[in-house]
Amino acid sequence: MKNSWLLLLTVLLFGTSMAQESDTEVNYRNEIGLNLSDLINGSLQIRYERSLGDHWAASLGFGLKSEEGLIRFSGLRTSRLTTNDLTYSGFKIIPEVRYYIKKTRQYRMDGFYFGAYLKHTNYSSEINGIFIDDDGTPLDIRFDGRLKLTSWGLMVGYKWAINKRFAIDFLIAGPGTGYHNYSIRNTRDLPESFYDNLNETLSEYAIFDFLDSDFRFSTTEERARFRLLSFRYGITLSYAF
């Protein structure tokens, strides 16, 4: 009887040991995440990440931006020209390649990492307002704007494993560069005095220092393309499976 109990205890201990070993060898290769920091600015961004080996991983993010959010630009306010606050909406796509320096648990994609990214953004906006003509007549104005941004760069971050399934990804820094493509189209018939007043007002804004020297709002669609530095950061809650 004593030997039977000893055999049973041995089997139970061996089984528990095997279960623990199997549990620690769980290796999740997929991850889906929600960018928490983007929610503040009215953007819903989902990211899928796939392990490619012990250190390498690739991911693809897709985000939708609504007109709501904390980041918005004040409209123009002059004696003759008043516009709404500038809001924008659209989408962005972000493919990434990452290298995880050293895994810290059974799940491969965690700990410190560095990598490279490509980001394509497509946003649209409307500018509405009132312009007072030379004879004192109020005129409705409306411009349709579109921004296409393609940028690329490097990044460094840390993914903190909360438990076996959940982690928080801190994208610490993502410096890069990219091309900005703007197009602005007028949808109203307006007098030339409006464009003179508008261009004179906008010349006081620093953003126009990046535009071509011959860029002007006019009755036709205007386009501008220039290169600027870019920077990425963010916090993402992820789930491994």
PDB file of all heavy atoms in Angstrom, residues 179-206:
ATOM      1  N   TYR A 179       7.285  62.773 -47.607  1.00  0.00           N
ATOM      2  CA  TYR A 179       6.777  63.754 -48.561  1.00  0.00           C
ATOM      3  C   TYR A 179       5.320  64.081 -48.247  1.00  0.00           C
ATOM      4  O   TYR A 179       4.496  63.188 -48.065  1.00  0.00           O
ATOM      5  CB  TYR A 179       6.888  63.230 -49.982  1.00  0.00           C
ATOM      6  CG  TYR A 179       8.305  63.235 -50.502  1.00  0.00           C
ATOM      7  CD1 TYR A 179       9.053  62.069 -50.532  1.00  0.00           C
ATOM      8  CD2 TYR A 179       8.900  64.417 -50.953  1.00  0.00           C
ATOM      9  CE1 TYR A 179      10.359  62.066 -51.007  1.00  0.00           C
ATOM     10  CE2 TYR A 179      10.202  64.427 -51.426  1.00  0.00           C
ATOM     11  CZ  TYR A 179      10.926  63.251 -51.448  1.00  0.00           C
ATOM     12  OH  TYR A 179      12.216  63.256 -51.906  1.00  0.00           O
ATOM     13  N   HIS A 180       5.015  65.372 -48.193  1.00  0.00           N
ATOM     14  CA  HIS A 180       3.659  65.868 -47.980  1.00  0.00           C
ATOM     15  C   HIS A 180       3.108  66.355 -49.315  1.00  0.00           C
ATOM     16  O   HIS A 180       3.732  67.169 -50.001  1.00  0.00           O
ATOM     17  CB  HIS A 180       3.658  67.028 -46.985  1.00  0.00           C
ATOM     18  CG  HIS A 180       4.065  66.633 -45.605  1.00  0.00           C
ATOM     19  ND1 HIS A 180       3.248  66.807 -44.516  1.00  0.00           N
ATOM     20  CD2 HIS A 180       5.203  66.070 -45.132  1.00  0.00           C
ATOM     21  CE1 HIS A 180       3.861  66.376 -43.425  1.00  0.00           C
ATOM     22  NE2 HIS A 180       5.050  65.926 -43.778  1.00  0.00           N
ATOM     23  N   ASN A 181       1.940  65.876 -49.666  1.00  0.00           N
ATOM     24  CA  ASN A 181       1.271  66.307 -50.892  1.00  0.00           C
ATOM     25  C   ASN A 181      -0.072  66.927 -50.531  1.00  0.00           C
ATOM     26  O   ASN A 181      -0.969  66.239 -50.014  1.00  0.00           O
ATOM     27  CB  ASN A 181       1.054  65.123 -51.833  1.00  0.00           C
ATOM     28  CG  ASN A 181       2.354  64.594 -52.401  1.00  0.00           C
ATOM     29  OD1 ASN A 181       2.857  65.082 -53.402  1.00  0.00           O
ATOM     30  ND2 ASN A 181       2.919  63.580 -51.745  1.00  0.00           N
ATOM     31  N   TYR A 182      -0.211  68.219 -50.796  1.00  0.00           N
ATOM     32  CA  TYR A 182      -1.439  68.942 -50.498  1.00  0.00           C
ATOM     33  C   TYR A 182      -2.145  69.309 -51.802  1.00  0.00           C
ATOM     34  O   TYR A 182      -1.505  69.687 -52.793  1.00  0.00           O
ATOM     35  CB  TYR A 182      -1.147  70.244 -49.739  1.00  0.00           C
ATOM     36  CG  TYR A 182      -0.709  70.050 -48.317  1.00  0.00           C
ATOM     37  CD1 TYR A 182       0.633  69.998 -47.988  1.00  0.00           C
ATOM     38  CD2 TYR A 182      -1.648  69.940 -47.285  1.00  0.00           C
ATOM     39  CE1 TYR A 182       1.052  69.824 -46.675  1.00  0.00           C
ATOM     40  CE2 TYR A 182      -1.249  69.774 -45.973  1.00  0.00           C
ATOM     41  CZ  TYR A 182       0.101  69.722 -45.675  1.00  0.00           C
ATOM     42  OH  TYR A 182       0.509  69.550 -44.383  1.00  0.00           O
ATOM     43  N   SER A 183      -3.458  69.216 -51.788  1.00  0.00           N
ATOM     44  CA  SER A 183      -4.264  69.753 -52.883  1.00  0.00           C
ATOM     45  C   SER A 183      -5.463  70.473 -52.280  1.00  0.00           C
ATOM     46  O   SER A 183      -6.093  69.968 -51.339  1.00  0.00           O
ATOM     47  CB  SER A 183      -4.742  68.648 -53.834  1.00  0.00           C
ATOM     48  OG  SER A 183      -5.599  67.752 -53.175  1.00  0.00           O
ATOM     49  N   ILE A 184      -5.765  71.655 -52.800  1.00  0.00           N
ATOM     50  CA  ILE A 184      -6.851  72.487 -52.275  1.00  0.00           C
ATOM     51  C   ILE A 184      -7.693  72.981 -53.453  1.00  0.00           C
ATOM     52  O   ILE A 184      -7.170  73.601 -54.384  1.00  0.00           O
ATOM     53  CB  ILE A 184      -6.298  73.686 -51.481  1.00  0.00           C
ATOM     54  CG1 ILE A 184      -5.401  73.184 -50.342  1.00  0.00           C
ATOM     55  CG2 ILE A 184      -7.426  74.532 -50.918  1.00  0.00           C
ATOM     56  CD1 ILE A 184      -4.684  74.281 -49.612  1.00  0.00           C
ATOM     57  N   ARG A 185      -8.994  72.701 -53.401  1.00  0.00           N
ATOM     58  CA  ARG A 185      -9.877  73.039 -54.518  1.00  0.00           C
ATOM     59  C   ARG A 185     -11.014  73.937 -54.032  1.00  0.00           C
ATOM     60  O   ARG A 185     -11.683  73.640 -53.045  1.00  0.00           O
ATOM     61  CB  ARG A 185     -10.447  71.762 -55.141  1.00  0.00           C
ATOM     62  CG  ARG A 185     -11.336  71.998 -56.359  1.00  0.00           C
ATOM     63  CD  ARG A 185     -11.727  70.677 -56.988  1.00  0.00           C
ATOM     64  NE  ARG A 185     -12.518  69.874 -56.064  1.00  0.00           N
ATOM     65  CZ  ARG A 185     -13.850  69.944 -55.970  1.00  0.00           C
ATOM     66  NH1 ARG A 185     -14.528  70.807 -56.741  1.00  0.00           N
ATOM     67  NH2 ARG A 185     -14.507  69.174 -55.142  1.00  0.00           N
ATOM     68  N   ASN A 186     -11.229  75.019 -54.752  1.00  0.00           N
ATOM     69  CA  ASN A 186     -12.314  75.936 -54.432  1.00  0.00           C
ATOM     70  C   ASN A 186     -13.616  75.424 -55.047  1.00  0.00           C
ATOM     71  O   ASN A 186     -13.644  74.996 -56.198  1.00  0.00           O
ATOM     72  CB  ASN A 186     -11.990  77.327 -54.971  1.00  0.00           C
ATOM     73  CG  ASN A 186     -13.076  78.326 -54.645  1.00  0.00           C
ATOM     74  OD1 ASN A 186     -13.834  78.138 -53.705  1.00  0.00           O
ATOM     75  ND2 ASN A 186     -13.151  79.394 -55.435  1.00  0.00           N
ATOM     76  N   THR A 187     -14.715  75.473 -54.280  1.00  0.00           N
ATOM     77  CA  THR A 187     -16.013  75.019 -54.793  1.00  0.00           C
ATOM     78  C   THR A 187     -17.006  76.162 -54.934  1.00  0.00           C
ATOM     79  O   THR A 187     -18.195  75.926 -55.156  1.00  0.00           O
ATOM     80  CB  THR A 187     -16.614  73.944 -53.860  1.00  0.00           C
ATOM     81  OG1 THR A 187     -16.833  74.527 -52.558  1.00  0.00           O
ATOM     82  CG2 THR A 187     -15.670  72.753 -53.726  1.00  0.00           C
ATOM     83  N   ARG A 188     -16.545  77.407 -54.809  1.00  0.00           N
ATOM     84  CA  ARG A 188     -17.420  78.574 -54.922  1.00  0.00           C
ATOM     85  C   ARG A 188     -16.808  79.593 -55.890  1.00  0.00           C
ATOM     86  O   ARG A 188     -15.591  79.663 -56.059  1.00  0.00           O
ATOM     87  CB  ARG A 188     -17.604  79.248 -53.557  1.00  0.00           C
ATOM     88  CG  ARG A 188     -18.294  78.393 -52.513  1.00  0.00           C
ATOM     89  CD  ARG A 188     -19.802  78.325 -52.742  1.00  0.00           C
ATOM     90  NE  ARG A 188     -20.490  77.743 -51.594  1.00  0.00           N
ATOM     91  CZ  ARG A 188     -20.688  76.452 -51.398  1.00  0.00           C
ATOM     92  NH1 ARG A 188     -20.202  75.584 -52.281  1.00  0.00           N
ATOM     93  NH2 ARG A 188     -21.340  76.006 -50.340  1.00  0.00           N
ATOM     94  N   ASP A 189     -17.667  80.384 -56.537  1.00  0.00           N
ATOM     95  CA  ASP A 189     -17.206  81.500 -57.361  1.00  0.00           C
ATOM     96  C   ASP A 189     -16.990  82.705 -56.455  1.00  0.00           C
ATOM     97  O   ASP A 189     -17.938  83.236 -55.861  1.00  0.00           O
ATOM     98  CB  ASP A 189     -18.235  81.838 -58.444  1.00  0.00           C
ATOM     99  CG  ASP A 189     -18.331  80.746 -59.494  1.00  0.00           C
ATOM    100  OD1 ASP A 189     -17.312  80.076 -59.737  1.00  0.00           O
ATOM    101  OD2 ASP A 189     -19.436  80.559 -60.044  1.00  0.00           O
ATOM    102  N   LEU A 190     -15.739  83.133 -56.351  1.00  0.00           N
ATOM    103  CA  LEU A 190     -15.390  84.231 -55.457  1.00  0.00           C
ATOM    104  C   LEU A 190     -14.585  85.281 -56.208  1.00  0.00           C
ATOM    105  O   LEU A 190     -13.863  84.963 -57.161  1.00  0.00           O
ATOM    106  CB  LEU A 190     -14.558  83.699 -54.278  1.00  0.00           C
ATOM    107  CG  LEU A 190     -15.282  82.717 -53.347  1.00  0.00           C
ATOM    108  CD1 LEU A 190     -14.293  82.069 -52.393  1.00  0.00           C
ATOM    109  CD2 LEU A 190     -16.394  83.426 -52.582  1.00  0.00           C
ATOM    110  N   PRO A 191     -14.678  86.543 -55.781  1.00  0.00           N
ATOM    111  CA  PRO A 191     -13.933  87.615 -56.464  1.00  0.00           C
ATOM    112  C   PRO A 191     -12.436  87.524 -56.173  1.00  0.00           C
ATOM    113  O   PRO A 191     -12.000  86.887 -55.206  1.00  0.00           O
ATOM    114  CB  PRO A 191     -14.552  88.886 -55.866  1.00  0.00           C
ATOM    115  CG  PRO A 191     -15.037  88.465 -54.523  1.00  0.00           C
ATOM    116  CD  PRO A 191     -15.525  87.050 -54.692  1.00  0.00           C
ATOM    117  N   GLU A 192     -11.666  88.195 -56.993  1.00  0.00           N
ATOM    118  CA  GLU A 192     -10.209  88.180 -56.838  1.00  0.00           C
ATOM    119  C   GLU A 192      -9.777  88.805 -55.519  1.00  0.00           C
ATOM    120  O   GLU A 192      -8.735  88.437 -54.952  1.00  0.00           O
ATOM    121  CB  GLU A 192      -9.561  88.931 -58.015  1.00  0.00           C
ATOM    122  CG  GLU A 192      -8.038  88.820 -58.062  1.00  0.00           C
ATOM    123  CD  GLU A 192      -7.569  87.402 -58.274  1.00  0.00           C
ATOM    124  OE1 GLU A 192      -8.307  86.608 -58.911  1.00  0.00           O
ATOM    125  OE2 GLU A 192      -6.457  87.066 -57.785  1.00  0.00           O
ATOM    126  N   SER A 193     -10.572  89.734 -55.009  1.00  0.00           N
ATOM    127  CA  SER A 193     -10.216  90.369 -53.743  1.00  0.00           C
ATOM    128  C   SER A 193     -10.168  89.365 -52.593  1.00  0.00           C
ATOM    129  O   SER A 193      -9.409  89.545 -51.628  1.00  0.00           O
ATOM    130  CB  SER A 193     -11.233  91.487 -53.421  1.00  0.00           C
ATOM    131  OG  SER A 193     -12.551  90.960 -53.330  1.00  0.00           O
ATOM    132  N   PHE A 194     -10.977  88.308 -52.698  1.00  0.00           N
ATOM    133  CA  PHE A 194     -10.948  87.278 -51.658  1.00  0.00           C
ATOM    134  C   PHE A 194      -9.591  86.590 -51.615  1.00  0.00           C
ATOM    135  O   PHE A 194      -9.001  86.386 -50.550  1.00  0.00           O
ATOM    136  CB  PHE A 194     -12.047  86.245 -51.902  1.00  0.00           C
ATOM    137  CG  PHE A 194     -11.840  84.967 -51.134  1.00  0.00           C
ATOM    138  CD1 PHE A 194     -12.090  84.903 -49.772  1.00  0.00           C
ATOM    139  CD2 PHE A 194     -11.346  83.833 -51.772  1.00  0.00           C
ATOM    140  CE1 PHE A 194     -11.874  83.729 -49.058  1.00  0.00           C
ATOM    141  CE2 PHE A 194     -11.128  82.662 -51.068  1.00  0.00           C
ATOM    142  CZ  PHE A 194     -11.391  82.614 -49.712  1.00  0.00           C
ATOM    143  N   TYR A 195      -9.064  86.226 -52.779  1.00  0.00           N
ATOM    144  CA  TYR A 195      -7.790  85.507 -52.826  1.00  0.00           C
ATOM    145  C   TYR A 195      -6.633  86.401 -52.383  1.00  0.00           C
ATOM    146  O   TYR A 195      -5.694  85.940 -51.731  1.00  0.00           O
ATOM    147  CB  TYR A 195      -7.555  84.952 -54.239  1.00  0.00           C
ATOM    148  CG  TYR A 195      -8.621  83.972 -54.650  1.00  0.00           C
ATOM    149  CD1 TYR A 195      -9.662  84.350 -55.496  1.00  0.00           C
ATOM    150  CD2 TYR A 195      -8.611  82.664 -54.166  1.00  0.00           C
ATOM    151  CE1 TYR A 195     -10.655  83.461 -55.866  1.00  0.00           C
ATOM    152  CE2 TYR A 195      -9.601  81.761 -54.529  1.00  0.00           C
ATOM    153  CZ  TYR A 195     -10.616  82.165 -55.377  1.00  0.00           C
ATOM    154  OH  TYR A 195     -11.602  81.287 -55.723  1.00  0.00           O
ATOM    155  N   ASP A 196      -6.704  87.672 -52.731  1.00  0.00           N
ATOM    156  CA  ASP A 196      -5.665  88.595 -52.259  1.00  0.00           C
ATOM    157  C   ASP A 196      -5.669  88.680 -50.739  1.00  0.00           C
ATOM    158  O   ASP A 196      -4.615  88.636 -50.091  1.00  0.00           O
ATOM    159  CB  ASP A 196      -5.900  89.992 -52.859  1.00  0.00           C
ATOM    160  CG  ASP A 196      -5.693  90.021 -54.366  1.00  0.00           C
ATOM    161  OD1 ASP A 196      -4.954  89.135 -54.867  1.00  0.00           O
ATOM    162  OD2 ASP A 196      -6.254  90.919 -55.027  1.00  0.00           O
ATOM    163  N   ASN A 197      -6.856  88.765 -50.163  1.00  0.00           N
ATOM    164  CA  ASN A 197      -6.969  88.850 -48.712  1.00  0.00           C
ATOM    165  C   ASN A 197      -6.539  87.551 -48.042  1.00  0.00           C
ATOM    166  O   ASN A 197      -5.832  87.562 -47.017  1.00  0.00           O
ATOM    167  CB  ASN A 197      -8.416  89.183 -48.336  1.00  0.00           C
ATOM    168  CG  ASN A 197      -8.592  89.396 -46.844  1.00  0.00           C
ATOM    169  OD1 ASN A 197      -8.794  88.453 -46.098  1.00  0.00           O
ATOM    170  ND2 ASN A 197      -8.515  90.648 -46.404  1.00  0.00           N
ATOM    171  N   LEU A 198      -6.941  86.423 -48.613  1.00  0.00           N
ATOM    172  CA  LEU A 198      -6.606  85.121 -48.037  1.00  0.00           C
ATOM    173  C   LEU A 198      -5.107  84.859 -48.080  1.00  0.00           C
ATOM    174  O   LEU A 198      -4.509  84.437 -47.081  1.00  0.00           O
ATOM    175  CB  LEU A 198      -7.359  84.018 -48.783  1.00  0.00           C
ATOM    176  CG  LEU A 198      -7.063  82.582 -48.330  1.00  0.00           C
ATOM    177  CD1 LEU A 198      -7.461  82.390 -46.867  1.00  0.00           C
ATOM    178  CD2 LEU A 198      -7.786  81.575 -49.218  1.00  0.00           C
ATOM    179  N   ASN A 199      -4.472  85.087 -49.210  1.00  0.00           N
ATOM    180  CA  ASN A 199      -3.035  84.841 -49.329  1.00  0.00           C
ATOM    181  C   ASN A 199      -2.222  85.764 -48.429  1.00  0.00           C
ATOM    182  O   ASN A 199      -1.196  85.364 -47.870  1.00  0.00           O
ATOM    183  CB  ASN A 199      -2.596  84.996 -50.791  1.00  0.00           C
ATOM    184  CG  ASN A 199      -3.048  83.834 -51.650  1.00  0.00           C
ATOM    185  OD1 ASN A 199      -2.631  82.699 -51.452  1.00  0.00           O
ATOM    186  ND2 ASN A 199      -3.922  84.115 -52.607  1.00  0.00           N
ATOM    187  N   GLU A 200      -2.683  87.003 -48.286  1.00  0.00           N
ATOM    188  CA  GLU A 200      -1.994  87.931 -47.392  1.00  0.00           C
ATOM    189  C   GLU A 200      -2.106  87.468 -45.940  1.00  0.00           C
ATOM    190  O   GLU A 200      -1.131  87.540 -45.175  1.00  0.00           O
ATOM    191  CB  GLU A 200      -2.596  89.324 -47.544  1.00  0.00           C
ATOM    192  CG  GLU A 200      -1.937  90.376 -46.665  1.00  0.00           C
ATOM    193  CD  GLU A 200      -2.555  91.752 -46.839  1.00  0.00           C
ATOM    194  OE1 GLU A 200      -3.427  91.901 -47.735  1.00  0.00           O
ATOM    195  OE2 GLU A 200      -2.194  92.663 -46.076  1.00  0.00           O
ATOM    196  N   THR A 201      -3.279  86.957 -45.563  1.00  0.00           N
ATOM    197  CA  THR A 201      -3.471  86.459 -44.198  1.00  0.00           C
ATOM    198  C   THR A 201      -2.636  85.217 -43.926  1.00  0.00           C
ATOM    199  O   THR A 201      -1.980  85.097 -42.890  1.00  0.00           O
ATOM    200  CB  THR A 201      -4.959  86.137 -43.955  1.00  0.00           C
ATOM    201  OG1 THR A 201      -5.744  87.314 -44.176  1.00  0.00           O
ATOM    202  CG2 THR A 201      -5.184  85.638 -42.537  1.00  0.00           C
ATOM    203  N   LEU A 202      -2.623  84.274 -44.875  1.00  0.00           N
ATOM    204  CA  LEU A 202      -1.911  83.010 -44.675  1.00  0.00           C
ATOM    205  C   LEU A 202      -0.399  83.171 -44.709  1.00  0.00           C
ATOM    206  O   LEU A 202       0.322  82.323 -44.188  1.00  0.00           O
ATOM    207  CB  LEU A 202      -2.349  81.996 -45.744  1.00  0.00           C
ATOM    208  CG  LEU A 202      -3.793  81.498 -45.637  1.00  0.00           C
ATOM    209  CD1 LEU A 202      -4.109  80.562 -46.784  1.00  0.00           C
ATOM    210  CD2 LEU A 202      -4.021  80.797 -44.304  1.00  0.00           C
ATOM    211  N   SER A 203       0.084  84.236 -45.309  1.00  0.00           N
ATOM    212  CA  SER A 203       1.532  84.453 -45.369  1.00  0.00           C
ATOM    213  C   SER A 203       2.133  84.660 -43.985  1.00  0.00           C
ATOM    214  O   SER A 203       3.341  84.522 -43.790  1.00  0.00           O
ATOM    215  CB  SER A 203       1.846  85.668 -46.247  1.00  0.00           C
ATOM    216  OG  SER A 203       1.315  86.855 -45.663  1.00  0.00           O
ATOM    217  N   GLU A 204       1.287  84.934 -43.000  1.00  0.00           N
ATOM    218  CA  GLU A 204       1.757  85.128 -41.635  1.00  0.00           C
ATOM    219  C   GLU A 204       1.901  83.819 -40.868  1.00  0.00           C
ATOM    220  O   GLU A 204       2.414  83.805 -39.753  1.00  0.00           O
ATOM    221  CB  GLU A 204       0.789  86.045 -40.885  1.00  0.00           C
ATOM    222  CG  GLU A 204       0.612  87.414 -41.536  1.00  0.00           C
ATOM    223  CD  GLU A 204      -0.424  88.256 -40.826  1.00  0.00           C
ATOM    224  OE1 GLU A 204      -0.962  87.770 -39.797  1.00  0.00           O
ATOM    225  OE2 GLU A 204      -0.688  89.377 -41.292  1.00  0.00           O
ATOM    226  N   TYR A 205       1.432  82.694 -41.457  1.00  0.00           N
ATOM    227  CA  TYR A 205       1.515  81.395 -40.799  1.00  0.00           C
ATOM    228  C   TYR A 205       2.793  80.678 -41.209  1.00  0.00           C
ATOM    229  O   TYR A 205       3.157  80.628 -42.384  1.00  0.00           O
ATOM    230  CB  TYR A 205       0.302  80.539 -41.152  1.00  0.00           C
ATOM    231  CG  TYR A 205      -0.964  81.002 -40.463  1.00  0.00           C
ATOM    232  CD1 TYR A 205      -1.635  82.147 -40.895  1.00  0.00           C
ATOM    233  CD2 TYR A 205      -1.479  80.311 -39.379  1.00  0.00           C
ATOM    234  CE1 TYR A 205      -2.792  82.583 -40.268  1.00  0.00           C
ATOM    235  CE2 TYR A 205      -2.640  80.743 -38.736  1.00  0.00           C
ATOM    236  CZ  TYR A 205      -3.283  81.875 -39.196  1.00  0.00           C
ATOM    237  OH  TYR A 205      -4.426  82.306 -38.567  1.00  0.00           O
ATOM    238  N   ALA A 206       3.472  80.072 -40.231  1.00  0.00           N
ATOM    239  CA  ALA A 206       4.787  79.470 -40.468  1.00  0.00           C
ATOM    240  C   ALA A 206       4.720  78.292 -41.437  1.00  0.00           C
ATOM    241  O   ALA A 206       5.684  78.016 -42.134  1.00  0.00           O
ATOM    242  CB  ALA A 206       5.401  79.019 -39.138  1.00  0.00           C
TER     243      ALA A 206
END
